Amino acid sequence: MSENVTSNSTVSGYVQLYNNVPIYGPGNDTGPPSTAPICLTYQVSTDQDLSSTVTSGTVYTSSDTDYTVKVEATGLSPYTQYYYQFSVCDSENVSSPIGRTKTTPAANDLVTKIGLAIYSCSNFPFGFFNAYGNTARKDS
């Protein structure tokens, strides 16, 4: 469904999740895209196989937002790793890759070291994007 998912966390117990839904399927890129809204479900879990869901919901996207969704997942534990995924509503096999994110520590957490990856806008024709993959592969 999507080539990537992204997230960020700036407040303890809260994370923003992003997904862009491709509007063309394989071999179906010749006509104009539909402008109808697309229904997505999301789930956030403490394990990679998404069997321990801590929050979930439904969101809609359309051409008005370039088929991009932003979810504000709240009620999460501080300084905790989570896994998340988006799926097209009423579909068992149209899902995004499973993303991984980590919430920020609480203000009173004793944290001696923290690693951050910060990216800005990119210009695809003029950039090297191996840095994104390197960060995604790190387990920190």
Side-chain angles (χ1 to χ4, degrees):
M1 174 176 87
S2 171
E3 294 179 8
N4 59 48
V5 290
T6 58
S7 66
N8 71 38
S9 178
T10 57
V11 177
S12 178
Y14 166 93
V15 68
Q16 291 180 331
L17 309 173
Y18 300 88
N19 186 33
N20 182 264
V21 180
I23 52 177
Y24 295 115
N28 185 23
D29 58 357
T30 56
S34 170
T35 57
I38 296 174
C39 175
L40 299 173
T41 60
Y42 69 91
Q43 76 180 89
V44 180
S45 178
T46 55
D47 56 350
Q48 192 169 2
D49 64 0
L50 304 174
S51 63
S52 298
T53 301
V54 293
T55 189
S56 62
T58 302
V59 293
Y60 292 86
T61 187
S62 69
S63 60
D64 295 342
T65 58
D66 195 27
Y67 295 98
T68 301
V69 294
K70 177 176 99 173
V71 170
E72 297 177 352
T74 59
L76 305 177
S77 297
Y79 209 47
T80 302
Q81 182 167 278
Y82 290 97
Y83 298 89
Y84 62 98
Q85 185 174 49
F86 292 88
S87 299
V88 173
C89 293
D90 300 321
S91 172
E92 293 183 21
N93 61 352
V94 183
S95 299
S96 71
I98 295 174
R100 181 181 66 184
T101 191
K102 191 170 190 177
T103 52
T104 56
N108 59 350
D109 283 345
L110 178 60
V111 177
T112 58
K113 182 179 177 184
I114 190 166
L116 300 173
I118 300 171
Y119 292 97
S120 184
C121 297
S122 57
N123 185 345
F124 186 74
F126 300 101
F128 296 98
F129 297 94
N130 59 336
Y132 295 111
N134 290 338
T135 300
R137 285 186 289 276
K138 291 192 179 231
D139 193 24
S140 56

